[in-house]
Amino acid sequence: MKKKINAWEVEQQINYIDNFMAEIQSTTLKDALLEFVITFSVFENIFGTIKLSENPFEKLDNSFADTPYQFFRDRYINDGKLANNYKKTLWQIGFQEDGIAREITPLLKKQDASGAEKSKVVYHIGYSFRNNLFHGNKGKEPFRLAEYEECFVQITKFMKSLMKSLTEGLNES
């Protein structure tokens, strides 16, 4: 536990939680967020974080990545160029310096990405959503989360399939 705790900051964070949940009216969005958070938490507890330099996807049947990859391609690529919402949604600060953005962007633009590349893209986009949700603007605009409901759904389905696939790979080793 931290040695120095600011009571005012704690109160602000409690208010943030209360306001955040009160502003989200949609039960499907709340369900999508809850499942996303739990899925990422379980994944990280079991497998840890997949670093950009790691590539556990090469040995997997990555067909489960096809649908979410196409979803994000349709969302973020227009006529071979990045849509305006790509940088704004995923890499608001430091896009040029972000190693993940530099590596993932060309793979997302790629017409003939391999299954492993698709999984890498979807995982790291999902991880960016996770970071933005856990560490981002702290709910200053929770109403905007409705724009990302289908993103949370796609990422959650992908993460569950990835867990199953990684587990199968471990059992075969």
Side-chain angles (χ1 to χ4, degrees), residues 104-119:
I104 295 307
T105 302
L107 297 178
L108 186 61
K109 288 181 172 182
K110 207 172 176 184
Q111 290 284 352
D112 58 346
S114 70
E117 290 171 327
K118 290 176 183 180
S119 285

Side-chain angles (χ1 to χ4, degrees), residues 36 40 44 125-135 152:
F36 174 84
F40 248 100
E44 290 179 337
I125 286 175
Y127 195 75
S128 293
F129 269 92
R130 173 231 181 258
N131 284 347
N132 289 346
L133 187 61
F134 293 174
H135 309 293
F152 293 123

Side-chain angles (χ1 to χ4, degrees), residues 27-162:
T27 56
T28 59
L29 176 57
K30 284 182 182 180
D31 290 347
L33 282 167
L34 179 61
E35 192 171 7
F36 174 84
V37 168
I38 290 170
T39 301
F40 248 100
S41 178
V42 168
F43 182 91
E44 290 179 337
N45 185 50
I46 296 169
F47 298 101
T49 301
I50 299 173
K51 295 180 176 74
L52 191 59
S53 60
E54 298 173 321
N55 196 354
F57 312 112
E58 288 294 330
K59 296 179 181 178
L60 305 177
D61 170 8
N62 291 282
S63 57
F64 60 88
D66 291 344
T67 299
Y69 176 83
Q70 192 59 51
F71 170 81
F72 286 112
R73 241 183 93 64
D74 292 346
R75 183 177 176 88
Y76 295 126
I77 306 296
N78 294 326
D79 296 323
K81 296 187 170 120
L82 291 176
N84 291 335
N85 60 344
Y86 180 70
K87 291 180 187 179
K88 181 180 176 190
T89 301
L90 299 172
W91 289 281
Q92 295 177 17
I93 300 171
F95 176 82
Q96 296 301 324
E97 293 80 36
D98 190 302
I100 294 173
R102 284 195 315 271
E103 187 160 333
I104 295 307
T105 302
L107 297 178
L108 186 61
K109 288 181 172 182
K110 207 172 176 184
Q111 290 284 352
D112 58 346
S114 70
E117 290 171 327
K118 290 176 183 180
S119 285
K120 188 173 194 174
V121 166
V122 176
Y123 173 81
H124 286 290
I125 286 175
Y127 195 75
S128 293
F129 269 92
R130 173 231 181 258
N131 284 347
N132 289 346
L133 187 61
F134 293 174
H135 309 293
N137 70 5
K138 292 295 184 213
K140 291 178 183 149
E141 299 176 328
F143 63 88
R144 291 197 65 217
L145 287 174
E147 297 172 30
Y148 309 118
E149 182 175 341
E150 186 58 27
C151 296
F152 293 123
V153 169
Q154 291 290 329
I155 293 164
T156 300
K157 287 179 186 175
F158 168 82
M159 294 300 292
K160 287 178 177 180
S161 295
L162 177 59

